[in-house]
Amino acid sequence: MLRKIIKIDEEKCNGCGACAEACHEGAIEMINGKAKLTREDYCDGLGDCLPACPTDAISFELREAPAYNEEAVRMSKIKKQGIKLPCGCPGTQSKAISRGGDSYGAVAPVTSRLSQWPVQIKLVPINASYFDGANLLIAADCTAYAYGNFHNEFIRNRITLIGCPKLDEGDYTEKLTSIISNNDIKSLTIVRMEVPCCGGIESAAKRALRESGKFIPWRVVTVTTDGRIIE
């Protein structure tokens, strides 16, 4: 298919590896001291590697290339992270999480960092004054419960949109595309749980960014069910 994909100029490449580290999908590898696009089907065409390159060795080109394989990328990430997926959705499995010596009343109150309302993707307006120059957070709703410092690390200084792709009806892509397209969004942070069903919110946010046609810095953060960060 004809689509936008990255192009690496090996003569300009200095072998620093910054692009490979910045590529969320794992499409770029360092081979013999040079950056190589080793998996065209892993390249989503968003170009998060471009600003990471100090020598401007990476650019976009429109050419024939395999379609972006989102499922293959997801499984590759799971394999690299060593997450073992049992039969069925891990998000429905019961387990107890030990917190050692935690006790009621032992933790000081935390100030909310939420700066707008509503927060549900289904309810938030497409246009609002708080979107002007906003750093946008799109998060699966369980992440704020799983990760203890969520307000300070993710909600603070961001406009927050939440949803649950497993329980909500429909797809978020159209709504998120409208928000990104019609507002001056400065950056996008996507926070999801490690469970496979949570990939829907990551997929919707990435599709929305692609369909908006905008080049915006973005990143994906994954939270484990026991409250750890995988990035």
Side-chain angles (χ1 to χ4, degrees), residues 14-73:
N14 66 1
C16 69
C19 59
E21 185 176 345
C23 179
H24 300 280
E25 324 307 319
I28 302 174
E29 295 182 47
M30 301 306 297
I31 300 176
N32 297 325
K34 295 287 185 178
K36 303 276 189 180
L37 178 60
T38 57
R39 289 294 301 259
E40 293 184 345
D41 59 332
Y42 281 19
C43 178
D44 58 13
L46 291 175
D48 205 47
C49 53
L50 269 71
C53 180
T55 62
D56 294 323
I58 304 176
S59 59
F60 283 122
E61 65 177 344
L62 187 65
R63 64 174 174 82
E64 288 290 331
Y68 172 57
N69 192 334
E70 189 172 348
E71 180 61 20
V73 170

